[in-house]
Amino acid sequence: MVAKRKSFFHEQKFVILAILAVFIGFSVGLLIREFNVSSSLQTLIFFPGEIFMRLLKLLVLPLVCASLISALAQLHPDTAKKLGLRSVLYYLFTAAMATCIGLTLVLIIHPGNPSIKGGKVVPRPHDHSHEALDNILDMIRNLIPENIIGAANSRDQTKISRNRSGFPVKHVEKVEGLNILGIITFCALIGIGTSKLRHIGEPVRNFFGSLETIVIYLIEGAMWTAPFGITSLVAASIAEVEDIFTTFQILATYVATVLLGLTIHILVGVPMVYIVVTRNNPLPIMKAMLPAFMTSLGTASSGAALPVGLQCMEGVADSRVTKFVLPLGASTNMDGNALYEAVAAIFIAQINGIELTLTEVVTISITATLASAGLNAVPAGLVSMLVILETVGLPVADIKTIIAVDWLLDRIRTAICTMADGLVASAVGHMVNLDPLEGEDMEELQEKEDTYKIGDCVHTHL
C-alpha cells in the first residue's frame, strides 16, 4: 500500500506541485493586497515568474525548428507515403476543426472582460488605415521570409504614412516579433527535403532528431522551476486585480468555454468525420480506447497513454496502422491544444479590450493549428501560446492570468487527443487498406520510429 502511494505521488508529482503552487501563489497574492507590501518586495516576489517566462521563450525557436524538421524528416518516402500523408492531413484537418470550434465559442460567449485587470489593460496601437488586402499580403510575405535568421526577431508589416502632399503612401517595414509562419515554412521545406534525399539526408535527420530530444529534455528540466514560476505568476495576477470575485467569475466562464469546445469536438466533430470517412459506427473504437483515455486523464501525458492505446487497439484495427498512427498522433495530434490555444489567445485579447480584425482571427486559427501539430507535446502548451501571442502582437505577460487553471484544462485536452488518436488510426486504416505483403516494410518503418523517437514524447505537463 505504501509502495502504491509512493508510485502515485511520483507519477503525479508535477500535478501536485502545480496545484500547490497555485494555492500558495493565491495566498501570497492576497497577503500582498492585505498588507500593502513595498514595491521592492513585490519585485522580488514576482521575479521568479519573469525568469520562468524568459526561460520558456528562450527555448521557443530551437523547439519549433527541431520538432518540425524532425517530424517531417522521419516520414519514410516510400512505405509510409500513403500512410503518413493521410495521417498528417487527417490530424491537420481535425486540428483545424478544433480551432474553428474554439474560435466560434469564444467569440460568441465572449468570456474575457477588461475588468479582470482592474483597468490596467495593455494598449496596442492600431492603424485603422490598413486594408484587409494589406493584412493578407503581409501574411503571405511572412510565410516566405527573405532571411530565416531575421525571421527569428522580426516580421513584415505594411505601414501607411502620408507624403508632403498629404497622400497616403504604403511601405513594408520590419516590426519586432517572432515570424513563426516563416520559420514553419522554412523548417517544413528542410524536413521534406531531408525525407526525400533519404541517405544523404540521414545526418540532418539524426541531428534534428537529437536536437529535438535535447530541447525537450531541457524543457522538462525547466519544468522543475515551474512551481516557483507559477507561484510568482499567480501571486502577481492576484495582487494586480481589484475585484477577486469578478476575476473568478471571468476565469470560470473561460474554463467553461474551453470545456464546452472540447466536449463538442470529441463527441460531435471527430466522430462525424470518422463516420463520413469510414461509414462505420465510432462508438466501438471509443469504447475500446477508454483505458487509454483514463490513463492520459490521470497522467496528463499522451506518451504515458501510448502503450495502453496500442493494446486497446489490438484486434480493433490493423496493427501495422496503429503502430504507425498512434505514435505519430502522440506527437502530432494536438486537437485539444489547438482549441485551447485559440480560445486563450482571443480571451487575452478580450481582457485587454482589443478588437481583433478578421485577418488576425484567421492568423490565430492558422498559427494555433500549425503550432499545435508542430510543437510536439511540450509542457502545458505554454511555448506554443507564446508563439501565437507574439504572432498577432498580443501581450505575452497575460499568460499569468490563465496559468492558474491550466493544470486542469491540460489533463482534459490531453485525454481528448488520446481518444481521437484511436478514431484516426481506424479511419486511416480504412482509407489506406494496406496489402498484407507490406508487413516487412512496416516493421522496418517501426524500427525507424523507435530509432528517431517518433511519438516517444513522455512529456511533463503542468
Side-chain angles (χ1 to χ4, degrees):
M1 189 68 177
V2 175
K4 286 184 178 180
R5 286 181 181 176
K6 287 184 178 179
S7 175
F8 172 79
F9 284 115
H10 177 73
E11 292 175 357
Q12 305 293 332
K13 56 183 178 295
F14 281 101
V15 177
I16 295 170
L17 289 173
I19 295 172
L20 287 174
V22 170
F23 282 109
I24 293 171
F26 181 77
S27 301
V28 171
L30 290 178
L31 289 174
I32 292 173
R33 295 166 60 90
E34 182 69 23
F35 294 102
N36 195 22
V37 175
S38 67
S39 59
S40 297
L41 183 56
Q42 286 189 38
T43 301
L44 290 175
I45 293 172
F46 303 158
F47 186 67
E50 178 187 345
I51 296 301
F52 178 60
M53 294 301 297
R54 290 171 71 94
L55 188 58
L56 289 179
K57 285 184 180 181
L58 175 67
L59 298 172
V60 167
L61 190 58
L63 181 65
V64 172
C65 295
S67 294
L68 282 173
I69 294 175
S70 177
L72 289 171
Q74 288 164 18
L75 291 179
H76 194 285
D78 296 328
T79 307
K81 186 175 181 180
K82 292 190 299 181
L83 194 57
L85 182 62
R86 283 166 173 76
S87 299
V88 170
L89 289 177
Y90 202 113
Y91 280 134
L92 283 174
F93 178 78
T94 55
M97 180 176 65
T99 303
C100 291
I101 292 172
L103 286 173
T104 302
L105 289 176
V106 74
L107 292 173
I108 293 174
I109 298 173
H110 203 287
N113 190 317
S115 61
I116 195 175
K117 300 188 68 176
K120 299 176 183 177
V121 298
V122 177
R124 188 180 70 151
H126 282 279
D127 189 344
H128 296 289
S129 59
H130 276 197
E131 298 177 359
L133 178 62
D134 295 329
N135 292 325
I136 294 172
L137 294 178
D138 285 343
M139 187 188 301
I140 297 172
R141 287 189 188 98
N142 288 318
L143 276 169
I144 308 173
E146 297 175 324
N147 183 344
I148 191 60
I149 303 300
N153 51 44
S154 66
R155 58 182 182 270
D156 293 321
Q157 183 174 322
T158 301
K159 298 285 186 179
I160 301 179
S161 57
R162 296 188 179 276
N163 59 20
R164 293 181 179 179
S165 302
F167 291 103
V169 177
K170 293 182 181 180
H171 56 281
V172 179
E173 290 184 1
K174 298 288 184 184
V175 297
E176 186 177 349
L178 181 68
N179 178 11
I180 186 61
L181 296 178
I183 290 172
I184 286 175
T185 300
F186 178 80
C187 293
L189 293 175
I190 294 294
I192 292 169
T194 302
S195 175
K196 288 289 185 182
L197 292 177
R198 303 184 65 178
H199 298 301
I200 296 176
E202 195 78 12
V204 176
R205 182 161 43 243
N206 289 338
F207 172 77
F208 282 102
S210 299
L211 180 60
E212 179 189 21
T213 304
I214 291 168
V215 174
I216 291 177
Y217 174 78
L218 292 176
I219 290 179
E220 290 178 349
M223 284 302 102
W224 285 105
T225 68
F228 304 100
I230 293 173
T231 299
S232 176
L233 291 170
V234 172
S237 179
I238 296 299
E240 289 175 1
V241 300
E242 294 187 1
D243 189 339
I244 296 291
F245 180 73
T246 301
T247 299
F248 282 149
Q249 275 190 319
I250 293 171
L251 282 178
T253 309
Y254 161 73
V255 170
T257 303
V258 176
L259 294 181
L260 178 61
L262 291 173
T263 303
I264 293 173
H265 180 67
I266 196 59
L267 294 183
V268 180
V270 175
M272 286 300 297
V273 175
Y274 180 84
I275 292 171
V276 170
V277 171
T278 67
R279 300 293 192 274
N280 293 326
N281 184 0
L283 291 180
I285 305 296
M286 298 177 75
K287 183 179 178 181
M289 284 295 289
L290 274 178
F293 175 87
M294 296 307 297
T295 301
S296 57
L297 186 64
T299 63
S301 170
S302 56
L306 179 57
V308 182
L310 289 169
Q311 190 175 22
C312 291
M313 293 299 288
E314 280 291 327
V316 180
D318 190 325
S319 62
R320 297 169 299 166
V321 176
T322 58
K323 287 177 182 178
F324 178 87
V325 176
L326 291 187
L328 181 66
S331 58
T332 304
N333 180 22
M334 294 293 146
D335 294 1
N337 276 359
L339 188 149
Y340 158 79
E341 288 158 6
V343 173
I346 301 294
F347 176 77
I348 288 174
Q350 291 173 350
I351 64 176
N352 284 286
I354 296 174
E355 293 291 335
L356 297 173
T357 65
L358 177 60
T359 307
E360 287 172 327
V361 172
V362 172
T363 301
I364 288 174
S365 65
I366 293 173
T367 309
T369 301
L370 295 179
S372 66
L375 286 183
N376 241 324
V378 298
L382 287 178
V383 176
S384 42
M385 272 303 304
L386 293 174
V387 168
I388 294 168
L389 295 177
E390 289 183 346
T391 299
V392 290
L394 292 173
V396 172
D398 282 333
I399 288 180
K400 67 177 182 287
T401 305
I402 61 176
I403 201 171
V405 295
D406 186 75
W407 64 271
L408 172 64
L409 296 177
D410 180 44
R411 310 172 78 76
I412 297 172
R413 63 181 186 256
T414 302
I416 295 297
C417 292
T418 299
M419 177 64 76
D421 282 342
L423 292 171
V424 174
S426 178
V428 170
H430 179 85
M431 289 189 291
V432 175
N433 193 20
L434 290 178
D435 190 326
L437 295 177
E438 295 186 60
E440 291 184 8
D441 291 335
M442 289 301 299
E443 287 178 10
E444 291 179 10
L445 184 59
Q446 183 62 33
E447 289 178 7
K448 283 185 173 290
E449 291 168 14
D450 294 337
T451 302
Y452 299 119
K453 308 290 186 182
I454 293 184
D456 184 18
C457 43
V458 183
H459 54 286
T460 306
H461 284 284
L462 289 176

PDB file of all heavy atoms in Angstrom, residues 54 82 111 144 165 186 189 197 216 304 323 384 441 462:
ATOM      1  N   ARG A  54      10.905  33.887 -19.289  1.00  0.00           N
ATOM      2  CA  ARG A  54      12.077  34.119 -20.148  1.00  0.00           C
ATOM      3  C   ARG A  54      12.715  32.786 -20.548  1.00  0.00           C
ATOM      4  O   ARG A  54      13.175  32.613 -21.681  1.00  0.00           O
ATOM      5  CB  ARG A  54      13.098  35.001 -19.423  1.00  0.00           C
ATOM      6  CG  ARG A  54      12.661  36.440 -19.249  1.00  0.00           C
ATOM      7  CD  ARG A  54      13.615  37.203 -18.343  1.00  0.00           C
ATOM      8  NE  ARG A  54      14.887  37.431 -18.996  1.00  0.00           N
ATOM      9  CZ  ARG A  54      15.199  38.528 -19.684  1.00  0.00           C
ATOM     10  NH1 ARG A  54      14.314  39.506 -19.798  1.00  0.00           N
ATOM     11  NH2 ARG A  54      16.374  38.653 -20.244  1.00  0.00           N
ATOM     12  N   LYS A  82       1.769   6.803 -48.362  1.00  0.00           N
ATOM     13  CA  LYS A  82       0.310   6.853 -48.261  1.00  0.00           C
ATOM     14  C   LYS A  82      -0.140   6.998 -46.816  1.00  0.00           C
ATOM     15  O   LYS A  82      -0.961   7.845 -46.485  1.00  0.00           O
ATOM     16  CB  LYS A  82      -0.295   5.569 -48.845  1.00  0.00           C
ATOM     17  CG  LYS A  82      -0.152   5.396 -50.337  1.00  0.00           C
ATOM     18  CD  LYS A  82      -0.988   4.227 -50.828  1.00  0.00           C
ATOM     19  CE  LYS A  82      -0.541   2.922 -50.196  1.00  0.00           C
ATOM     20  NZ  LYS A  82      -1.320   1.753 -50.686  1.00  0.00           N
ATOM     21  N   PRO A 111     -15.902  35.304 -23.065  1.00  0.00           N
ATOM     22  CA  PRO A 111     -15.625  35.187 -21.624  1.00  0.00           C
ATOM     23  C   PRO A 111     -14.718  36.285 -21.077  1.00  0.00           C
ATOM     24  O   PRO A 111     -14.732  36.572 -19.882  1.00  0.00           O
ATOM     25  CB  PRO A 111     -14.930  33.820 -21.520  1.00  0.00           C
ATOM     26  CG  PRO A 111     -14.316  33.615 -22.865  1.00  0.00           C
ATOM     27  CD  PRO A 111     -15.261  34.239 -23.838  1.00  0.00           C
ATOM     28  N   ILE A 144       6.956  33.525 -46.454  1.00  0.00           N
ATOM     29  CA  ILE A 144       8.187  33.341 -47.236  1.00  0.00           C
ATOM     30  C   ILE A 144       9.163  34.451 -46.852  1.00  0.00           C
ATOM     31  O   ILE A 144       9.250  35.485 -47.523  1.00  0.00           O
ATOM     32  CB  ILE A 144       7.900  33.371 -48.751  1.00  0.00           C
ATOM     33  CG1 ILE A 144       6.773  32.391 -49.084  1.00  0.00           C
ATOM     34  CG2 ILE A 144       9.167  33.027 -49.550  1.00  0.00           C
ATOM     35  CD1 ILE A 144       6.301  32.446 -50.501  1.00  0.00           C
ATOM     36  N   SER A 165       2.479  65.949 -49.758  1.00  0.00           N
ATOM     37  CA  SER A 165       1.222  66.421 -50.352  1.00  0.00           C
ATOM     38  C   SER A 165      -0.002  65.919 -49.588  1.00  0.00           C
ATOM     39  O   SER A 165      -1.131  66.274 -49.927  1.00  0.00           O
ATOM     40  CB  SER A 165       1.128  65.971 -51.817  1.00  0.00           C
ATOM     41  OG  SER A 165       2.231  66.445 -52.556  1.00  0.00           O
ATOM     42  N   PHE A 186      10.074  27.428 -43.647  1.00  0.00           N
ATOM     43  CA  PHE A 186      11.467  27.033 -43.864  1.00  0.00           C
ATOM     44  C   PHE A 186      11.737  25.636 -43.302  1.00  0.00           C
ATOM     45  O   PHE A 186      12.330  24.783 -43.982  1.00  0.00           O
ATOM     46  CB  PHE A 186      12.400  28.058 -43.211  1.00  0.00           C
ATOM     47  CG  PHE A 186      13.862  27.723 -43.335  1.00  0.00           C
ATOM     48  CD1 PHE A 186      14.549  27.986 -44.512  1.00  0.00           C
ATOM     49  CD2 PHE A 186      14.531  27.137 -42.273  1.00  0.00           C
ATOM     50  CE1 PHE A 186      15.892  27.661 -44.628  1.00  0.00           C
ATOM     51  CE2 PHE A 186      15.879  26.814 -42.381  1.00  0.00           C
ATOM     52  CZ  PHE A 186      16.560  27.077 -43.560  1.00  0.00           C
ATOM     53  N   LEU A 189      10.113  22.853 -45.392  1.00  0.00           N
ATOM     54  CA  LEU A 189      10.865  22.571 -46.617  1.00  0.00           C
ATOM     55  C   LEU A 189      12.114  21.743 -46.323  1.00  0.00           C
ATOM     56  O   LEU A 189      12.439  20.802 -47.064  1.00  0.00           O
ATOM     57  CB  LEU A 189      11.243  23.884 -47.313  1.00  0.00           C
ATOM     58  CG  LEU A 189      10.073  24.700 -47.886  1.00  0.00           C
ATOM     59  CD1 LEU A 189      10.570  26.026 -48.435  1.00  0.00           C
ATOM     60  CD2 LEU A 189       9.346  23.913 -48.978  1.00  0.00           C
ATOM     61  N   LEU A 197      15.628  12.976 -49.735  1.00  0.00           N
ATOM     62  CA  LEU A 197      17.007  12.626 -50.075  1.00  0.00           C
ATOM     63  C   LEU A 197      17.501  11.387 -49.332  1.00  0.00           C
ATOM     64  O   LEU A 197      18.634  10.956 -49.542  1.00  0.00           O
ATOM     65  CB  LEU A 197      17.938  13.815 -49.793  1.00  0.00           C
ATOM     66  CG  LEU A 197      17.719  15.020 -50.716  1.00  0.00           C
ATOM     67  CD1 LEU A 197      18.620  16.169 -50.316  1.00  0.00           C
ATOM     68  CD2 LEU A 197      17.979  14.629 -52.165  1.00  0.00           C
ATOM     69  N   ILE A 216      13.592  19.061 -25.632  1.00  0.00           N
ATOM     70  CA  ILE A 216      12.505  18.577 -24.772  1.00  0.00           C
ATOM     71  C   ILE A 216      13.052  18.226 -23.391  1.00  0.00           C
ATOM     72  O   ILE A 216      12.408  18.487 -22.362  1.00  0.00           O
ATOM     73  CB  ILE A 216      11.799  17.372 -25.416  1.00  0.00           C
ATOM     74  CG1 ILE A 216      11.017  17.830 -26.656  1.00  0.00           C
ATOM     75  CG2 ILE A 216      10.858  16.691 -24.422  1.00  0.00           C
ATOM     76  CD1 ILE A 216      10.341  16.710 -27.395  1.00  0.00           C
ATOM     77  N   ALA A 304       2.561   8.578 -21.938  1.00  0.00           N
ATOM     78  CA  ALA A 304       2.273   7.538 -20.949  1.00  0.00           C
ATOM     79  C   ALA A 304       1.092   6.679 -21.378  1.00  0.00           C
ATOM     80  O   ALA A 304       1.022   5.490 -21.049  1.00  0.00           O
ATOM     81  CB  ALA A 304       1.999   8.179 -19.596  1.00  0.00           C
ATOM     82  N   LYS A 323       0.384   0.899 -35.097  1.00  0.00           N
ATOM     83  CA  LYS A 323       1.767   1.054 -34.631  1.00  0.00           C
ATOM     84  C   LYS A 323       2.457   2.250 -35.277  1.00  0.00           C
ATOM     85  O   LYS A 323       3.490   2.709 -34.788  1.00  0.00           O
ATOM     86  CB  LYS A 323       2.559  -0.222 -34.908  1.00  0.00           C
ATOM     87  CG  LYS A 323       2.189  -1.368 -33.975  1.00  0.00           C
ATOM     88  CD  LYS A 323       2.945  -2.636 -34.332  1.00  0.00           C
ATOM     89  CE  LYS A 323       2.527  -3.777 -33.408  1.00  0.00           C
ATOM     90  NZ  LYS A 323       3.212  -5.053 -33.759  1.00  0.00           N
ATOM     91  N   SER A 384       3.841  27.102 -27.217  1.00  0.00           N
ATOM     92  CA  SER A 384       3.051  27.442 -28.399  1.00  0.00           C
ATOM     93  C   SER A 384       2.148  28.648 -28.144  1.00  0.00           C
ATOM     94  O   SER A 384       1.856  29.419 -29.053  1.00  0.00           O
ATOM     95  CB  SER A 384       2.221  26.238 -28.870  1.00  0.00           C
ATOM     96  OG  SER A 384       1.649  25.561 -27.789  1.00  0.00           O
ATOM     97  N   ASP A 441       7.912  -4.122 -44.638  1.00  0.00           N
ATOM     98  CA  ASP A 441       8.216  -2.693 -44.757  1.00  0.00           C
ATOM     99  C   ASP A 441       7.756  -1.947 -43.512  1.00  0.00           C
ATOM    100  O   ASP A 441       8.441  -1.046 -43.030  1.00  0.00           O
ATOM    101  CB  ASP A 441       7.539  -2.099 -45.988  1.00  0.00           C
ATOM    102  CG  ASP A 441       8.170  -2.628 -47.280  1.00  0.00           C
ATOM    103  OD1 ASP A 441       9.357  -3.015 -47.211  1.00  0.00           O
ATOM    104  OD2 ASP A 441       7.472  -2.640 -48.300  1.00  0.00           O
ATOM    105  N   LEU A 462       2.175  20.643 -16.806  1.00  0.00           N
ATOM    106  CA  LEU A 462       1.947  21.288 -15.515  1.00  0.00           C
ATOM    107  C   LEU A 462       0.687  20.716 -14.885  1.00  0.00           C
ATOM    108  O   LEU A 462      -0.238  20.371 -15.559  1.00  0.00           O
ATOM    109  CB  LEU A 462       1.772  22.793 -15.724  1.00  0.00           C
ATOM    110  CG  LEU A 462       3.054  23.522 -16.123  1.00  0.00           C
ATOM    111  CD1 LEU A 462       2.716  24.986 -16.386  1.00  0.00           C
ATOM    112  CD2 LEU A 462       4.102  23.437 -15.052  1.00  0.00           C
TER     113      LEU A 462
END
